[in-house]
Amino acid sequence: MAPPSAKLLVYASGHSACVRIAGRANFTSSIDFKMLLNGLVQKGYDCFVLDLSDCILMDSTFLGVLAGFGLKMTTPQNGEPQARPIQLLNPNQRIAELLENLGVAHLFKTVTRTEDVPGEPAVDTAPDGKEHSREEVTRNCLEAHRILMEIAPGNVSKFKEVAQFLAEDLKKTQTGP
């Protein structure tokens, strides 16, 4: 049985979006998280706050997806600066240390606040019940770990074997038994 996915709630106002991540942010919720963020960008949102007040933990796949989005949002395109850095609201000590240890904390602005985030009422972005294929999950996990290794070369020793295993597994799922 797969571990329960994080619950994702969106608050939106103007060009700003706040995504509250509650529970365990892991590989099972990382695909929906990536689709949600990309969809918000396509709708014109360019200022992001990720409320981690209720996020218990973040695994390396979810963190890789988050880091990839942080990189995308801070990398200049066509000589123009991208949107403001993503704000991480109230990450717990474990998550903050993980961001620092994996060399991706610089992609985000960490904010600690006690008041609620303003915006429209939250919209629950629960997945439509569609399960992602093994190939899709494996591809997402591989991409997330490659991003972590590209951003911080020190992560290569941490994730090289994981990435190799995932690449081999992906090849098997594509060619069949």
Side-chain angles (χ1 to χ4, degrees):
M1 185 167 127
S5 293
K7 185 170 185 151
L8 304 173
L9 299 166
V10 177
Y11 302 79
S13 178
H15 287 277
S16 299
C18 176
V19 179
R20 176 170 284 164
I21 303 167
R24 298 174 182 267
N26 56 27
F27 72 96
T28 60
S29 56
S30 65
I31 295 172
D32 295 324
F33 179 65
K34 183 192 309 186
M35 290 174 18
L36 170 65
L37 293 176
N38 289 333
L40 289 168
V41 168
Q42 288 177 350
K43 290 179 181 175
Y45 293 96
D46 60 6
C47 181
F48 291 89
V49 175
L50 302 180
D51 183 352
L52 303 178
S53 301
D54 298 324
C55 184
I56 300 166
L57 65 85
M58 200 175 282
D59 75 5
S60 58
T61 298
F62 196 96
L63 183 63
V65 169
L66 175 62
F69 187 69
L71 188 62
K72 174 182 173 180
M73 294 304 290
T74 58
T75 301
Q77 303 243 335
N78 302 323
E80 297 291 321
Q82 287 288 87
R84 294 175 269 181
I86 297 166
Q87 291 185 24
L88 300 180
L89 180 63
N90 300 328
N92 65 34
Q93 183 177 351
R94 185 176 182 184
I95 292 172
E97 287 174 359
L98 185 60
L99 292 164
E100 198 63 48
N101 291 340
L102 293 179
V104 298
H106 69 281
L107 297 171
F108 310 100
K109 179 179 179 185
T110 301
V111 179
T112 303
R113 288 200 315 235
T114 55
E115 68 270 9
D116 285 335
V117 177
E120 299 296 318
V123 175
D124 188 346
T125 62
D128 57 8
K130 173 188 163 267
E131 288 208 20
H132 300 288
S133 70
R134 177 177 170 187
E135 181 178 339
E136 188 177 15
V137 171
T138 303
R139 183 182 316 283
N140 186 63
C141 289
L142 177 59
E143 179 183 323
H145 286 88
R146 284 180 174 164
I147 288 169
L148 290 173
M149 291 188 296
E150 288 172 21
I151 291 173
N155 289 334
V156 172
S157 63
K158 296 173 186 169
F159 298 120
K160 182 179 180 181
E161 290 180 11
V162 172
Q164 184 177 354
F165 171 80
L166 291 167
E168 290 171 6
D169 193 46
L170 183 59
K171 194 179 285 187
K172 286 178 190 174
T173 61
Q174 291 172 333
T175 58

